[in-house]
Amino acid sequence: MGFVKTSIVSFFRLAAGLAFVCAALTGSLLASTAMGQDNLLDVARSLFSPIPKRAADLDGNPATLEKLELGKMLYFEPRLSQAHNISCNTCHQIGRAGGDGRSTSIGHNWQRGGRNAPTVFNAVFNVAQFWDGRAADLTEQAGGPISNPTEMGTTPWHAVEELKGIPGYVEAFGKAFPDEIDPLRYDNIARAIAVFEATLITPDAPFDRYLEGNENALTTEQKEGLRLFIDKGCSSCHNGINLGGRMYAPFGVVEKPGWEFLPPDDKGRVEVTRKVDDDYVFKVPTLRNVALTAPYFHSGQAWDLEQAVAVMGTTQLGTQLSPEEVDKITAFLQALTGDQPKVTYPTLPPSVATTPRPAP
């Protein structure tokens, strides 16, 4: 019975994988046929959207100047961590395209995180947050690392206690949430940070200008790379405003990558859904600013963008891309680098004698 059950599960997983490949190939064929009838720009516009020039609004969490300023302070606030040495910016650095340049981040007590820190830039446009989609939105995501024992290592109760021990934050929360009797709460910490994170968008990439009608915004090589990106089926998963972030997919649809890229003990979204079909399934990452966010994949083990493109060809599409094709697709990906956010480092409210002390 155990063998039969395993065989049935394997059959359905294989069928799901084949269906995924067929869908990708169908999408690529339709796009390729469309390009035989229309020009490349028209097809690109049907698949992708430019980043807007202004920050996105969050449902149920309206932005105000006071909330935005508070969120910026909290984003850079190391006292939200147990040892007062880690902030959101430690792993999602504004000056490094929203990542930290490590395979996996270093957290509380020098612990290593399990996955590569995804960029926070343009994360507001993703369908969910984290590699496994366990947070529905930016607000839910913002509260996660603070209370994660491997990351910032504190508790929701202590984070609130810490901020209440800093008079400047008591005042700032009162201004950001003026209609609340007790504004300095853990959920409001997350809400303020989310409002700030929603402003971390990168418009006006060459590809955005191209989508807006400037056909000279891309070089000839980048246009050839875009055409390959669509023809080969990359755009079946990497589409929309973020060129990703809208769906989940198995890593290794056609062929499993090496275990250095796909650690066997990290099975991805199945830990959230408890569905066997979600073994080694991860959220498709955004490709916005991808040239700035090495290393790649959830394992952070691909340090070269050309290598990452080639791996994706074999594992996800069953295609051995030629070196010339890899170069052209990579050239297109370079055109996804937009204007980086200009953020002035905030002056944080000072601690006082009664402010809780950091952990040793």
Side-chain angles (χ1 to χ4, degrees):
M1 284 298 292
F3 173 77
V4 172
K5 181 177 180 181
T6 302
S7 299
I8 291 173
V9 169
S10 299
F11 171 78
F12 280 110
R13 291 188 66 186
L14 176 61
L18 290 174
F20 187 90
V21 173
C22 289
L25 292 176
T26 300
S28 130
L29 178 62
L30 290 173
S32 181
T33 302
M35 275 193 283
Q37 301 169 347
D38 302 306
N39 65 35
L40 179 62
L41 176 57
D42 289 337
V43 176
R45 282 173 165 169
S46 73
L47 295 169
F48 314 106
S49 303
I51 295 285
K53 298 294 195 296
R54 64 179 296 274
D57 295 321
L58 302 179
D59 291 340
N61 188 13
T64 63
L65 179 60
E66 293 79 10
K67 194 185 297 182
L68 175 59
E69 287 301 311
L70 172 61
K72 182 167 71 171
M73 289 192 293
L74 294 173
Y75 188 88
F76 289 95
E77 180 52 80
R79 287 169 293 185
L80 281 174
S81 67
Q82 184 73 6
H84 292 194
N85 62 341
I86 299 171
S87 71
C88 303
N89 189 64
T90 303
C91 300
H92 303 283
Q93 298 172 22
I94 302 299
R96 303 194 70 176
D100 66 358
R102 295 179 179 272
S103 292
T104 59
S105 301
I106 296 174
H108 181 59
N109 281 340
W110 299 97
Q111 298 175 91
R112 279 275 184 185
R115 295 174 185 154
N116 177 256
T119 176
V120 72
F121 287 3
N122 305 304
V124 67
F125 303 120
N126 292 337
V127 67
Q129 306 301 323
F130 297 115
W131 281 100
D132 54 18
R134 64 183 182 274
D137 53 32
L138 282 181
T139 303
E140 189 174 342
Q141 177 275 326
I146 298 172
S147 59
N148 187 312
T150 304
E151 297 183 52
M152 297 172 75
T154 190
T155 64
W157 176 85
H158 184 67
V160 171
E161 178 192 39
E162 186 73 42
L163 296 183
K164 284 188 173 181
I166 303 172
Y169 276 122
V170 175
E171 180 182 358
F173 271 86
K175 291 179 179 178
F177 302 96
D179 299 328
E180 299 188 17
I181 297 173
D182 182 19
L184 211 168
R185 305 192 315 269
Y186 192 70
D187 60 331
N188 282 344
I189 294 174
R191 291 174 68 196
I193 293 174
V195 165
F196 172 68
E197 288 181 339
T199 68
L200 301 178
I201 58 176
T202 61
D204 207 33
F207 186 52
D208 290 320
R209 297 197 295 273
Y210 177 76
L211 292 174
E212 290 164 354
N214 181 359
E215 297 198 47
N216 295 321
L218 299 185
T219 66
T220 298
E221 184 182 28
Q222 288 170 337
K223 290 177 184 176
E224 292 173 355
L226 170 59
R227 189 178 296 274
L228 284 168
F229 190 85
I230 296 171
D231 279 349
K232 294 293 183 179
C234 309
S235 60
S236 297
C237 296
H238 292 283
N239 51 50
I241 191 170
N242 254 359
L243 285 85
R246 305 198 330 166
M247 60 178 286
Y248 303 93
F251 191 6
V253 173
V254 180
E255 176 183 325
K256 282 283 189 290
W259 290 125
E260 71 273 21
F261 300 130
L262 186 65
D265 58 344
D266 182 356
K267 294 192 174 184
R269 187 158 167 76
V270 68
E271 299 298 331
V272 177
T273 66
R274 302 298 177 183
K275 296 179 180 178
V276 68
D277 287 345
D278 284 334
D279 268 1
Y280 301 110
V281 167
F282 298 89
K283 188 183 69 184
V284 174
T286 172
L287 295 181
R288 291 285 182 175
N289 305 292
V290 69
L292 306 179
T293 57
Y296 305 109
F297 307 142
H298 70 284
S299 56
Q301 291 301 313
W303 288 86
D304 181 78
L305 186 53
E306 287 84 356
Q307 179 192 38
V309 170
V311 168
M312 292 300 287
T314 56
T315 62
Q316 304 306 98
L317 303 174
T319 299
Q320 188 73 43
L321 297 171
S322 70
E324 181 182 13
E325 289 172 330
V326 170
D327 287 345
K328 288 179 177 179
I329 292 174
T330 301
F332 163 63
L333 296 179
Q334 298 277 350
L336 301 180
T337 301
D339 291 343
Q340 303 298 288
K342 304 296 188 295
V343 177
T344 302
Y345 199 102
T347 299
L348 303 179
S351 296
V352 296
T354 55
T355 302
R357 300 291 182 259

